Amino acid sequence: MPLESESALQRAKAIALQACSKPAVRQTVKFTLDASLASLAWVAASSLVRFESPRPLPLLAWVAFAMAVNLAFQHTRQHYRLLGFVELRSLLTSMLALAASAAACYALSGYFRAGAIQPKAVLAASLLTTLTWVMLRAAAAEWFKRRFEKQNPHRPTEDRRKTPRSGQSTSDDLALRTLIVGAGQAGSRLCQELQANPKLKSQVVGFLDDALEKQGVRIHGVPVLGPCRLLPTFIKEAKAGQVILAIPSAPGSRIRELAKVLQGEGVRVKTLPNMQDLLGKETWKPELRDIAIEDLLRREPIQLDLGSIQQALSDSVVLITGAGGSIGSELARQVARFGPSRLILLGRGENSLWGVERDIRRLHPDLRLEVELCDIRNALRLQQVFEAWRPAFVFHAAAHKHVPYLENHPEEGIENNIFGTLNVLNAAKSAGTRKFVNISTDKAVNPTSVLGATKRIAEFLVLRAAESELGDSRYMSVRFGNVLGSRGSVIPLFQEQIRRGGPITVTHPEMTRYFMTIPEASQLVLQAGMLGRTGQVFVLDMGQPVRIVDLAADMARLSGLTPGFDIDIQFSGIRPGEKLFEELFTDKEHRKSEVHSKVFEASPEPGNRALLDRTLRALKEALDLPDGLRQAAIVQTFMELVPSYLPSPNGLGRFLPAVLPGQPASAPVPAPAPAPKIVVLRPSIPLAQAQS
């Protein structure tokens, strides 16, 4: 019998919960509670003002009027457990509406019998009614919050400074005592998110901010402890185990400064996404992530001439080759912001194109987007695509870019980077393209690789097209260096090596490269392409060159590892086609500002059209030669057309004959540079013993 009664009670409870979950029932309950509080407020107001019990008619009139205001502001639709500023503002507005009735009572008191209308009682009841409504919702929100915290315990700890490195699991679920650097909008929203979600296991104990007016104030109940220069002191005083950099608009120099301060503090470091990296209709959200190398290299936001770009691209057909690659896909996202009449994504990698198409359709559902699966080496198919869409703007980003691979397979670089570019140029000219922008590389300057030589010849082809075009069409090239996060760059390689526990492989201690982010490069390409004149070669401002070994060490430290102690750095030797440093201009080129403060113009050497035509035929014929003779013919043709080309001795240069045409017999072939000895940065004693 007790079991039957218990099951009946559970069934009744389930039925009651199901009934209470219905919106009509919940709103009826809220309406009843608010009406009861309004009646109690009138009783209290009458007792305080007239020192007598309220009469039924005024009481009913007040409750009816108060609930009419309540329904007008839809207070019964408020979610009690998620009470916020918007709901509080609505309640205060309803209080003003109720209080306004007191003024009306004063104005009408002369037309009625004295004592029938009680303006003072109406004013007091207005204040008391709104106050009780707010108190009811605040009490409900606090009750739900406490119940949620009881079901999802936060479990803060006294000292969590010795935390595991990023990516490793913890043995418990204690919350990290957290400091937030930046008490602005980003820090405030982040604090709310951490307080509302105990599963993030972060207990905010303080803010740090350099703004003088924020010192000593409290944000969401959390104090602003002081300026950022005292960060190490506050980490120790607050026993913090985690520091979050909530300054998404800060430049890279500021992030580097803070990261350097935090390196030796033994805390977990997180950051928020950079606002400048967001495109289209995406909104900034306080999403935590590990601090990345992109944050350390973050530069000042680029100020583009958006009006000119908008005027040029709006309602125009834009085609992007290599749209599935790193630069091509980012160019597509940037172009989509300006509302072209149609955007054509052309490439041969179906999976990459599918990913880019899905991303752009999500951000710009109204954009007319087309995908063309096409290889630029197929001249006939390319001609069909251009004739079908007749694009006004073409951004040519399709190319083979892997330096060592092209040293072993120069034929692929010739077919894709040279003759593929020629095919795209011919198709664009026949379709009446107004602007053609070729994406080049800094490796085309004094090249030592097949990649650099082929891209330099591609620049020659674009310049020849510009010289032969008599209409308003413009043909130009844009040169820049490495982009962070692109496929095949050192950043993903280092990240993978760090995840595996090392070693991190660097080719040479003095190897330097220019770096910029993919969005920055794409934006400057747009700026140069829209405002530049025909026949120009633009060079993007790449900032200061970065030593690759320093980059590797910074990435290791960002992962919580000490180079030479927790993880090794090895020097493996220069790969075929590589050189120690890249150049942005040749000796005969001069820099001059043109379309943007971060865009320079390289004055290209005047081309020899007859020589270009002859060497193109020679390259075409060389592709049919047998192995050995083919590579020798290719390297000699490169050297004839690009005099500054110095083939890599351990790459394509190994196929050079002993005596080159036109050289004296005594001129030796450059010997391969010896690879540096492999250096392993490792402690002389075991790691566990060193730590103890």
Side-chain angles (χ1 to χ4, degrees), residues 355-410:
V356 178
E357 178 192 14
R358 184 181 57 176
D359 193 24
I360 294 180
R361 290 195 188 281
R362 176 180 61 85
L363 295 175
H364 308 277
D366 299 329
L367 178 66
R368 301 175 70 182
L369 186 66
E370 304 292 342
V371 176
E372 290 289 351
L373 194 62
C374 175
D375 192 331
I376 61 172
R377 295 181 295 185
N378 188 336
L380 176 60
R381 175 74 180 109
L382 199 62
Q383 196 77 27
Q384 293 171 347
V385 171
F386 274 73
E387 289 297 330
W389 301 114
R390 306 193 72 82
F393 297 91
V394 173
F395 294 92
H396 177 45
H400 282 322
K401 306 181 184 71
H402 197 284
V403 173
Y405 282 3
L406 292 184
E407 291 299 305
N408 293 326
H409 306 279

Side-chain angles (χ1 to χ4, degrees), residues 275-386:
M275 292 182 179
Q276 299 298 325
D277 292 341
L278 300 179
L279 300 174
K281 300 178 181 178
E282 284 188 295
T283 56
W284 183 90
K285 294 177 289 186
E287 296 177 349
L288 283 181
R289 60 172 173 80
D290 292 329
I291 189 170
I293 196 67
E294 290 87 346
D295 299 305
L296 302 186
L297 298 177
R298 187 189 301 170
R299 294 195 276 179
E300 295 294 331
I302 298 175
Q303 303 298 326
L304 300 179
D305 187 354
L306 298 178
S308 300
I309 299 176
Q310 177 76 39
Q311 184 178 3
L313 294 180
S314 180
D315 299 326
S316 298
V317 179
V318 181
L319 185 144
I320 299 173
T321 70
S326 304
I327 292 297
S329 61
E330 183 63 27
L331 273 172
R333 296 184 184 94
Q334 298 279 356
V335 169
R337 301 168 56 194
F338 297 99
S341 62
R342 197 179 297 271
L343 178 59
I344 315 298
L345 306 180
L346 186 145
R348 65 177 184 176
E350 53 187 358
N351 291 331
S352 301
L353 286 175
W354 177 75
V356 178
E357 178 192 14
R358 184 181 57 176
D359 193 24
I360 294 180
R361 290 195 188 281
R362 176 180 61 85
L363 295 175
H364 308 277
D366 299 329
L367 178 66
R368 301 175 70 182
L369 186 66
E370 304 292 342
V371 176
E372 290 289 351
L373 194 62
C374 175
D375 192 331
I376 61 172
R377 295 181 295 185
N378 188 336
L380 176 60
R381 175 74 180 109
L382 199 62
Q383 196 77 27
Q384 293 171 347
V385 171
F386 274 73

Side-chain angles (χ1 to χ4, degrees), residues 303 524 541 593-600:
Q303 303 298 326
L524 289 176
D541 179 9
S593 298
E594 179 67 24
V595 298
H596 193 275
S597 59
K598 292 189 176 183
V599 177
F600 303 104

Side-chain angles (χ1 to χ4, degrees), residues 31-262:
F31 183 88
T32 304
L33 289 173
D34 286 346
S36 301
L37 292 176
S39 62
L40 290 176
W42 180 264
V43 171
S46 298
S47 302
L48 292 173
V49 173
R50 300 183 63 86
F51 302 101
E52 62 181 21
S53 299
R55 287 172 291 180
L57 187 59
L59 173 62
L60 293 176
W62 169 253
V63 173
F65 175 69
M67 295 315 297
V69 173
N70 186 295
L71 292 175
F73 286 92
Q74 299 184 349
H75 293 332
T76 57
R77 295 181 178 272
Q78 292 176 345
H79 201 334
Y80 284 6
R81 72 180 67 188
L82 297 178
L83 184 68
F85 175 75
V86 175
E87 290 76 17
L88 181 61
R89 183 179 59 187
S90 177
L91 288 165
L92 294 177
T93 305
S94 64
M95 181 189 71
L96 295 177
L98 292 173
S101 63
C105 290
Y106 276 113
L108 298 175
S109 60
Y111 297 96
F112 297 94
R113 182 172 52 85
I117 299 178
Q118 305 170 18
K120 293 182 179 179
V122 172
L123 180 61
S126 302
L127 300 177
L128 290 175
T129 298
T130 308
L131 179 61
T132 54
W133 286 351
V134 172
M135 291 177 61
L136 171 65
R137 287 154 175 78
E142 184 65 21
W143 183 80
F144 283 116
K145 178 182 176 182
R146 290 183 180 276
R147 190 182 71 166
F148 181 79
E149 290 177 349
K150 186 177 181 180
Q151 295 174 350
N152 303 272
H154 217 337
R155 297 185 63 191
T157 182
E158 288 297 325
D159 188 357
R160 284 295 306 278
R161 293 189 57 209
K162 295 180 179 180
T163 59
R165 295 186 183 118
S166 173
Q168 297 181 354
S169 60
T170 61
S171 59
D172 52 36
D173 58 350
L174 299 178
L176 287 170
R177 294 174 63 84
T178 301
L179 292 176
I180 297 179
V181 177
Q185 289 290 337
S188 173
R189 291 172 61 182
L190 174 64
C191 180
Q192 282 184 304
E193 183 73 17
L194 296 178
Q195 289 176 337
N197 193 351
K199 293 183 179 180
L200 296 177
K201 297 182 177 62
S202 298
Q203 181 192 25
V204 182
V205 295
F207 286 93
L208 288 95
D209 200 289
D210 292 332
L212 185 61
E213 66 274 10
K214 295 178 182 177
Q215 305 303 314
V217 304
R218 301 180 75 87
I219 300 174
H220 303 301
V222 179
V224 178
L225 302 176
C228 299
R229 58 184 174 83
L230 300 178
L231 183 56
T233 302
F234 290 124
I235 289 175
K236 295 180 176 63
E237 291 183 356
K239 298 181 179 179
Q242 178 174 254
V243 175
I244 302 176
L245 307 181
I247 40 179
S249 59
S253 57
R254 181 60 172 157
I255 301 297
R256 286 195 298 272
E257 179 184 346
L258 292 171
K260 186 176 181 180
V261 171
L262 293 169

